[in-house]
Amino acid sequence: AQSVTQPDIHITVSEGASLELRCNYSYGATPYLFWYVQSPGQGLQLLLKYFSGDTLVQGIKGFEAEFKRSQSSFNLRKPSVHWSDAAEYFCALSGGYQKVTFGTGTKLQVIP
Amino acid sequence: EPEVTQTPSHQVTQMGQEVILRCVPISNHLYFYWYRQILGQKVEFLVSFYNNEISEKSEIFDDQFSVERPDGSNFTLKIRSTKLEDSAMYFCASSERGEAFFGQGTRLTVV
């Protein structure tokens, strides 16, 4: 069975500080990995994805994520957080054309 | 850029009523999905659909739920007799080459 774990339910960072959101997965092979962002009451916006190749992937809004097979991790990073980054972030995986399995999400609060 | 379109964006229905949520997937995609997100919780898989039949469904997708592709463009989710606990955001998705594209969701409120 495939699963995604986001160990941090809620994270607070100061504006301008760096950010790292953790994601661990369980899957029998190399999965497709995704990070989505969701503002309250809104839909899911894809930040970035990893299918294969370079393990450091760049996304929109200055986000990046690194796939580490040995640690079964796909952590999301941003060097300098902006107040508009406050939202909920979901890590997700799929095995190709199979369903997408989401983590429980991490709520990001940005303080001035 | 092609996108998945869902209608309506918000629907309020009385308990026990039938609702149909509609989705227009991206035109050349062959795999279709419905997901549900109860307020404050994670996104949960409901069902996947390929070649005009269900390919996988979750425990949530019981006999009260059904999906249909009535024509070449629409993909619908029907809930036969809504319960209060069906209140949630419902997301449709379609995929090609392993990447799922999500619609903006339909917020269903059962009163």
Side-chain angles (χ1 to χ4, degrees):
Chain A
Q2 58 196 56
S3 66
V4 177
T5 301
Q6 293 181 249
D8 303 306
I9 297 172
H10 190 246
I11 281 186
T12 300
V13 299
S14 298
E15 191 168 14
S18 64
L19 171 71
E20 182 168 23
L21 302 183
R22 295 183 290 164
C23 172
N24 292 95
Y25 68 88
S26 174
Y27 189 69
T30 301
Y32 294 172
L33 294 161
F34 310 88
W35 275 99
Y36 291 89
V37 62
Q38 186 181 38
S39 297
Q42 301 299 308
L44 299 163
Q45 182 180 23
L46 180 67
L47 286 175
L48 46 78
K49 61 192 177 194
Y50 172 78
F51 284 0
S52 64
D54 193 348
T55 57
L56 184 63
V57 293
Q58 303 296 322
I60 61 171
K61 303 185 179 187
F63 286 93
E64 66 177 26
E66 186 171 12
F67 170 61
K68 292 186 177 179
R69 185 191 309 274
S70 61
Q71 298 176 20
S72 297
S73 69
F74 189 57
N75 294 349
L76 181 72
R77 301 194 293 248
K78 187 170 184 178
S80 177
V81 170
H82 188 261
W83 64 266
S84 59
D85 293 324
E88 188 156 21
Y89 292 78
F90 291 94
C91 181
L93 73 79
S94 80
Y97 289 104
Q98 300 168 16
K99 64 187 178 188
V100 177
T101 297
F102 287 82
T104 49
T106 298
K107 283 192 179 135
L108 174 65
Q109 181 182 10
V110 181
I111 56 177
Chain B
E1 184 176 324
E3 60 181 15
V4 176
T5 306
Q6 290 186 243
T7 55
S9 57
H10 190 190
Q11 180 154 1
V12 181
T13 189
Q14 287 198 326
M15 192 168 52
Q17 294 291 104
E18 173 184 286
V19 295
I20 297 177
L21 309 183
R22 302 181 191 280
C23 169
V24 179
I26 295 173
S27 63
N28 61 334
H29 287 186
L30 300 177
Y31 293 80
F32 314 114
Y33 311 84
W34 283 101
Y35 294 81
R36 178 183 82 175
Q37 185 183 31
I38 294 171
L39 186 64
Q41 299 186 22
K42 72 173 184 179
V43 180
E44 300 173 290
F45 167 75
L46 289 178
V47 65
S48 58
F49 191 86
Y50 170 71
N51 201 23
N52 284 319
E53 61 182 25
I54 291 173
S55 51
E56 186 179 357
K57 60 182 180 180
S58 72
E59 293 175 352
I60 303 168
F61 193 87
D62 61 21
D63 292 344
Q64 291 298 311
F65 293 90
S66 63
V67 289
E68 193 177 38
R69 189 154 162 82
D71 53 43
S73 60
N74 289 285
F75 179 51
T76 62
L77 174 70
K78 182 193 291 186
I79 309 175
R80 287 191 182 79
S81 178
T82 50
K83 308 182 186 71
L84 294 176
E85 54 264 37
D86 293 327
S87 294
M89 182 81 96
Y90 289 81
F91 292 105
C92 173
S94 66
S95 74
E96 175 196 37
R97 293 197 298 266
E99 179 181 352
F101 292 78
F102 286 84
Q104 285 303 299
T106 293
R107 178 163 298 284
L108 176 65
T109 302
V110 182
V111 297

